[in-house]
Amino acid sequence: MAGPERQHDGFVPGRYPIDAYGAGGFRFAEMSHRGSILALPSGVRAWEVTEPAGITPASLRPLVEEAGGIDLLLLGTGADIVFVPDTLRRFLKEAGIGLDVMQTGAAARTYNILMAENRKVAAALIAVP
């Protein structure tokens, strides 16, 4: 079987660079995924968020569950950079996670660089057309 084992809940275990983004999804681990993703230390998972307004403490729960392995969250907010409410910033700070907000493309590229440096980084990436 080529590529990593894929689980049925939209989760691919392991750390992978983002090979491509656009057309409403992402390519990583020799697979393509339509929709947004969370790239966490444990693996890459489907993320139900389709627009910045959907970024909430509840939507970031999988990230916070792995907070011990994450120093920085790169938040890709789509084609545009958007304001992140202070409540969300405080939520992440209380979990010990720093936050950097940028366009999805920049966040994916930055994630690849920091991951290659073996940094404790995660990415929450909203898919772009």
Side-chain angles (χ1 to χ4, degrees), residues 98-125:
L99 175 65
D100 201 349
V101 181
M102 57 191 77
Q103 295 171 318
T104 291
R109 291 187 299 273
T110 304
Y111 172 78
N112 286 346
I113 291 167
L114 296 178
M115 190 192 70
E117 293 174 353
N118 207 27
R119 302 268 300 273
K120 294 168 85 174
V121 64
L125 305 172

Side-chain angles (χ1 to χ4, degrees), residues 27-48:
R27 278 202 337 243
F28 56 91
E30 300 177 11
M31 292 184 258
S32 61
H33 170 77
R34 188 145 182 84
S36 302
I37 60 171
L38 287 175
L40 306 173
S42 64
V44 181
R45 69 176 59 242
W47 193 36
E48 72 280 358

Side-chain angles (χ1 to χ4, degrees), residues 45-122:
R45 69 176 59 242
W47 193 36
E48 72 280 358
V49 174
T50 59
E51 60 185 16
I55 304 167
T56 65
S59 73
L60 292 175
R61 187 166 317 285
L63 170 91
V64 174
E65 290 172 0
E66 296 187 38
I70 301 168
D71 289 335
L72 176 65
L73 170 64
L74 300 170
L75 182 56
T77 57
D80 299 308
I81 300 171
V82 300
F83 172 77
V84 176
D86 287 339
T87 54
L88 188 62
R89 289 182 183 278
R90 278 194 303 274
F91 171 75
L92 292 169
K93 185 176 182 177
E94 288 170 7
I97 300 171
L99 175 65
D100 201 349
V101 181
M102 57 191 77
Q103 295 171 318
T104 291
R109 291 187 299 273
T110 304
Y111 172 78
N112 286 346
I113 291 167
L114 296 178
M115 190 192 70
E117 293 174 353
N118 207 27
R119 302 268 300 273
K120 294 168 85 174
V121 64

